[in-house]
Amino acid sequence: MVDLSLDPEEIKRGGVSMFAASDGLYEDFKQVASEGGALAGSVDTGSFTGVNEVAQAVERWEGAIVPGLRGRVEELGAFLAVYSVQHVELDGMTAEMFAQYADPEVFPVDPGARTTPAPE
């Protein structure tokens, strides 16, 4: 009675894409940081006085925010990589335990005998 609702290969591809997104986030922001840091001395500000604030914000994003975002993206990627491997095993164990312990009067459904697909 194994009823996989998620394709493990699709989950694995999601994990791989999270690590690629992390690298892309770093590379893209590195360019923003290098160009943003050069703003203060290279622009005729005219009536716009916020160039220093923009440069400081870019520096703050580069030093604190982007590394934190990358960490979260990579944590999600690592979770997906592990889950993709354990998903099949977990689903089989859950189905076996359900069959063994579920009270048929409370759960009168045999998922292996479905004539229509389970709801999405």
Side-chain angles (χ1 to χ4, degrees):
M1 179 182 88
V2 175
D3 184 22
L4 293 175
S5 57
L6 300 170
D7 177 13
E9 284 305 310
E10 193 66 33
I11 296 169
K12 183 178 176 181
R13 282 191 291 275
V16 169
S17 71
M18 290 294 101
F19 281 98
S22 171
D23 288 342
L25 182 62
Y26 174 72
E27 291 302 320
D28 290 347
F29 202 81
K30 202 163 67 169
Q31 179 180 357
V32 170
S34 69
E35 292 177 14
L39 277 176
S42 67
V43 184
D44 177 15
T45 59
S47 62
F48 179 66
T49 58
V51 172
N52 285 333
E53 287 79 2
V54 169
Q56 288 172 0
V58 167
E59 188 176 308
R60 189 170 50 253
W61 269 78
E62 181 184 29
I65 296 173
V66 170
L69 290 174
R70 287 187 74 201
R72 297 297 178 258
V73 167
E74 289 175 0
E75 285 172 5
L76 177 58
F79 170 81
L80 291 173
V82 171
Y83 187 76
S84 70
V85 173
Q86 293 182 335
H87 176 67
V88 174
E89 185 179 318
L90 266 173
D91 192 62
M93 182 186 76
T94 301
E96 183 180 312
M97 292 182 78
F98 179 83
Q100 183 177 356
Y101 298 114
D103 181 348
E105 291 187 26
V106 176
F107 300 102
V109 176
D110 177 9
R114 287 189 183 129
T115 56
T116 59
E120 292 286 327

